[in-house]
Amino acid sequence: MNYQKFYGKKFMIPNHVFLTAILFFSGLLVTIQAQDVTVSGTVTAASDGMPLPGVSIVNVNEAGVGTQTDFDGNYTLTVSDGNTSLRFSYVGFISKEIALNNQTSLNVTLEDDVASLDEVVVVGYGTQKKATVTGAVTAVKGAVLEASPTISVSNSLAGRLPGVVIIQTSGEPGNDESTISIRGTNTLGNNEPLVVIDGIPDRDGGIGRLNGIDIANISVLKDASAAIYGARAANGAIIVTTKQGTAGKPTISYNADFGMNQPTRIPELSNSLEYFSIRNEDAIFNSNIPAAQWGNALSAFESTGSYTIPGTTEVVGANFQPDQVAGHRTSADPWLYPNTDWFADTFKEWAAQSRHNLSISGGSERIKYYSSIGYS
């Protein structure tokens, strides 16, 4: 028993009552601490102080919790933990992550992402800074393609360019290139875009003949942006710029990567004897033989290769005769009665893959060179 003083008098409080009170107040304290916190504020640009509409605001520590700023740059967001962090991101500005620290009012300024706006993209027969491009143009740098372990450059573009659909229909070595389409089907015939490599359109082999490490950047021209190439670019244009040499001493570069491939699923196939039994049972199931006689019919198939339905003249024949089944059971003549697992003979459970690339570049102010060789 616990004794508690109350105005100089002692009262006995049972242990279970005392513990229940402690648990009640502890739970109440946790409930108070876990109350939702509503934070609001304004997001502005650091360069001119103007409000930014459409800024994405997400709770870093709680998936699916986020909002956007309105036309005046204001936002309101309710989070379940006042000690979480919020991430503010907007196109053309550097993303910022700020710890909330139980604040209910948080104003944020975002810095211009000057580096991305100054990035140069290839447009037709010239180049422009990304900040001045008004047409539908997307680009990807060669460094991004180098990080992809795929053999074909067309497969490396999957998911990297908005509006560009990449479909790989085959994994056959040497024939695993993807089909490329820009914004779906545009013409009744061939829907592939025009590929221009270093200013030369429709080079033999196209983009599939290039080594990803030799590419400096790829730009995709959509709609009217590709009009400079005329009707040949009715489905858009893909502009590929390969790496060029730079003035200075010769620079030798070697890149290599190794990997292991495994089929997503390896099926367990029936052997020849199991296959014959399944096919003979299939002949019984698809016939007029009553279900009560299926066992007798299967025994007849194994002995004579046929079964006559009692009370009728109907004869049901086996798909495979007893001598064929016996030949596969004994495996005495593997040429006449083969038992080959073609999947196991064709595919390995694990297969090694490696790529090696060696390049040399350099030159003077008048003559520059870049040469490379690759092996996969």
Side-chain angles (χ1 to χ4, degrees):
M1 306 294 284
N2 290 302
Y3 294 89
Q4 304 294 333
K5 290 185 178 182
F6 184 75
Y7 289 103
K9 297 181 181 180
K10 293 183 178 180
F11 291 89
M12 290 188 299
I13 302 178
N15 281 332
H16 68 278
V17 176
F18 188 68
L19 293 175
T20 302
I22 292 177
L23 293 175
F24 172 76
F25 286 107
S26 298
L28 182 61
L29 180 60
V30 171
T31 303
I32 294 174
Q33 291 179 342
Q35 283 184 346
D36 293 343
V37 176
T38 301
V39 57
S40 61
T42 304
V43 182
T44 57
S47 57
D48 53 12
M50 296 296 294
L52 297 176
V55 176
S56 176
I57 307 166
V58 295
N59 186 347
V60 176
N61 301 323
E62 191 173 356
V65 177
T67 187
Q68 287 185 336
T69 57
D70 58 17
F71 183 78
D72 297 320
N74 300 320
Y75 73 93
T76 300
L77 179 64
T78 301
V79 296
S80 59
D81 185 1
N83 292 319
T84 187
S85 297
L86 301 181
R87 181 183 293 116
F88 298 80
S89 57
Y90 193 60
V91 177
F93 291 82
I94 301 175
S95 299
K96 182 179 292 187
E97 186 173 315
I98 302 176
L100 193 54
N101 294 329
N102 289 316
Q103 300 179 77
T104 58
S105 178
L106 182 62
N107 296 325
V108 179
T109 58
L110 297 181
E111 301 285 343
D112 294 339
D113 191 357
V114 179
S116 64
L117 295 177
D118 288 341
E119 184 178 326
V120 175
V121 295
V122 179
V123 182
Y125 291 103
T127 60
Q128 282 185 316
K129 288 187 177 181
K130 185 179 288 187
T132 62
V133 174
T134 57
V137 180
T138 56
V140 60
K141 292 184 178 180
V144 177
L145 303 179
E146 292 181 21
S148 176
T150 58
I151 301 298
S152 175
V153 176
S154 61
N155 298 331
S156 301
L157 298 176
R160 304 185 187 278
L161 296 166
V164 180
V165 180
I166 308 293
I167 301 177
Q168 183 181 4
T169 58
S170 171
E172 179 185 352
N175 191 32
D176 61 346
E177 296 181 22
S178 298
T179 58
I180 304 175
S181 60
I182 299 176
R183 290 182 174 172
T185 301
N186 301 305
T187 58
L188 297 177
N190 187 359
N191 280 275
E192 294 184 358
L194 175 68
V195 178
V196 181
I197 303 174
D198 290 333
I200 303 176
D202 276 343
R203 281 179 54 174
D204 187 25
I207 196 173
R209 293 283 296 274
L210 294 179
N211 191 341
I213 292 184
D214 294 337
I215 296 177
N217 59 71
I218 295 179
S219 297
V220 177
L221 310 184
K222 312 170 188 177
D223 304 333
S225 299
I228 189 173
Y229 294 105
R232 300 176 66 185
N235 299 306
I238 298 178
I239 315 299
V240 182
T241 304
T242 59
K243 292 180 180 179
Q244 308 294 323
T246 56
K249 296 180 179 180
T251 301
I252 299 177
S253 176
Y254 171 74
N255 295 277
D257 62 64
F258 303 87
M260 297 293 292
N261 294 330
Q262 182 186 31
T264 304
R265 179 177 177 271
I266 300 178
E268 295 183 5
L269 302 180
S270 303
N271 57 35
S272 57
L273 188 60
E274 293 171 339
Y275 176 74
F276 285 179
S277 299
I278 293 172
R279 289 296 310 277
N280 282 343
E281 291 176 1
D282 185 59
I284 295 174
F285 297 156
N286 292 326
S287 68
N288 295 323
I289 301 175
Q293 301 176 19
W294 284 355
N296 297 333
L298 187 60
S299 299
F301 278 9
E302 295 175 352
S303 58
T304 63
S306 62
Y307 179 73
T308 302
I309 301 177
T312 68
T313 58
E314 183 178 353
V315 179
V316 180
N319 287 322
F320 294 96
Q321 295 301 308
D323 58 335
Q324 294 176 293
V325 177
H328 283 277
R329 179 180 288 111
T330 59
S331 300
D333 189 348
W335 292 101
L336 183 59
Y337 302 107
N339 183 26
T340 304
D341 186 350
W342 293 110
F343 192 96
D345 288 353
T346 306
F347 295 95
K348 297 179 181 179
E349 291 188 4
W350 289 94
Q353 174 180 304
S354 64
R355 291 192 308 173
H356 306 268
N357 294 276
L358 179 66
S359 64
I360 179 171
S361 62
S364 62
E365 293 298 332
R366 294 187 177 183
I367 300 177
K368 301 180 180 67
Y369 60 88
Y370 177 91
S371 179
S372 68
I373 184 173
Y375 170 78
S376 299

